[in-house]
Amino acid sequence: MNAEIYNAYVAILHDELVPAMGCTEPIAIAYAAALARDTLGVMPERIEIQASGNLIKNVKSVVVPNTSGLKGIEAAAAAGAGRALEVISRVSPDQKEQIRDMVSRNICSVSLLESGRVLDLIITLRSGDLWARVRIADRHTNVVLVEKNGSVLLEKPVEAPGELSPEKRLLNIRDIVEFAQTVDLGDVRDILLRQVQCNMAVCEEGMRSSYGGNVGKVLLRELGEGVLVRCKAMAAAGSDARMGGCELPVIINSGSGNQGITVTVPVVEYARELGRDEDTMLRALIISNLTAIHQKAGIGCLSAYCGAISAAAAAGAGIAYLLGGGVY
């Protein structure tokens, strides 16, 4: 196929299919706070969080991993600010207590950021006369501003709302299917196998343990263990687990762990049910992943629209490929 399209699709998969622990919005807040803490150079006395409405909505009631069950924006910011640029996947008991103490002392303030963007975040840390500020916009790790005491250390232009990257402008279903059928799997095998390993692992953990409403277990108990039920039950168990503070990573799609699970699990379950080999399964996952990204490109990674719907439609496309389907 066209080399420009081929290279763009490989780049999209590598850029989009990345690991995240817990719900991606709290982790974005923790990441911004960690960067601000590293920039400030000392522990903050106050943390000011300005966030867009959809960001606030998605973080408000979610458990932040490795905080002993703490929920919400303040916990996410404290987790990042207390850890500098170290990831929050490894937090000692003393550090967990420090995070809880920061939250209990009410050093965090939260306000609505009305910028017109669905994902916009500004975190300011203060200690005495010192301050540091970080802004993330449009994508969960897209740092567009870093300031310290009035000096700009990093500044990037912010894209116009809804503007697509050059790579995503090339997405269309016909080329996605052709790419999936012809791609050298060596270019994408590692990231796809990582997606399968991580996302199936968190779903299996959800089935083994008790998270949220235990929806997966209920579905299997009430509806049996056919492949259609397993697709729904495993995905639901994975979602319950990650939203309930499970400390296993998930490979995301379109900036979302739940969408990452949804584009992966039904395709894997059907491939196993049908006895398809690994290469065929991976090609179906390419269709599922890229179709989901194509749908969400014009919607944005955060919106009132439930991304699990588009991700499920994309999984359906991947399953159709496993059943012998094509563009028509």
Side-chain angles (χ1 to χ4, degrees), residues 266-272 274 276-277 279-285 287 315-325:
V267 175
V268 173
E269 287 291 337
Y270 257 95
R272 292 173 176 175
L274 297 169
R276 300 294 187 254
D277 60 28
D279 284 5
T280 303
M281 179 186 72
L282 296 182
R283 294 186 190 279
L285 283 171
I287 291 175
I319 292 167
Y321 175 80
L322 290 173
L323 293 168

Side-chain angles (χ1 to χ4, degrees), residues 149-210:
N149 302 328
S151 297
V152 175
L153 306 181
L154 179 148
E155 188 169 21
K156 292 167 51 180
V158 182
E159 297 173 355
E163 184 177 344
L164 299 184
S165 68
E167 293 82 10
K168 289 184 179 178
R169 292 194 193 103
L170 297 173
L171 287 167
N172 65 82
I173 296 300
R174 182 182 296 277
D175 285 337
I176 287 171
V177 174
E178 181 183 352
F179 174 78
Q181 292 172 327
T182 61
V183 63
D184 178 353
L185 286 175
D187 291 336
V188 294
R189 185 183 300 275
D190 288 349
I191 58 171
L192 292 169
L193 288 178
R194 181 179 65 176
Q195 184 182 48
V196 173
Q197 179 183 6
C198 290
N199 292 1
M200 295 305 291
V202 78
C203 294
E204 290 160 3
E205 168 62 17
M207 283 294 191
R208 281 192 300 269
S209 304
S210 180

Side-chain angles (χ1 to χ4, degrees), residues 40 42-47 105 107-108 125-129:
L40 185 65
V42 296
M43 283 296 293
E45 297 170 355
R46 299 192 309 284
I47 303 175
R105 288 190 286 112
I107 70 169
C108 300
L125 305 189
R126 300 185 186 275
S127 179
D129 294 331

Side-chain angles (χ1 to χ4, degrees), residues 124-144:
T124 305
L125 305 189
R126 300 185 186 275
S127 179
D129 294 331
L130 303 176
W131 60 272
R133 179 173 294 135
V134 170
R135 182 185 180 193
I136 286 178
D138 299 329
R139 297 182 299 278
H140 294 80
T141 58
N142 185 38
V143 177
V144 297

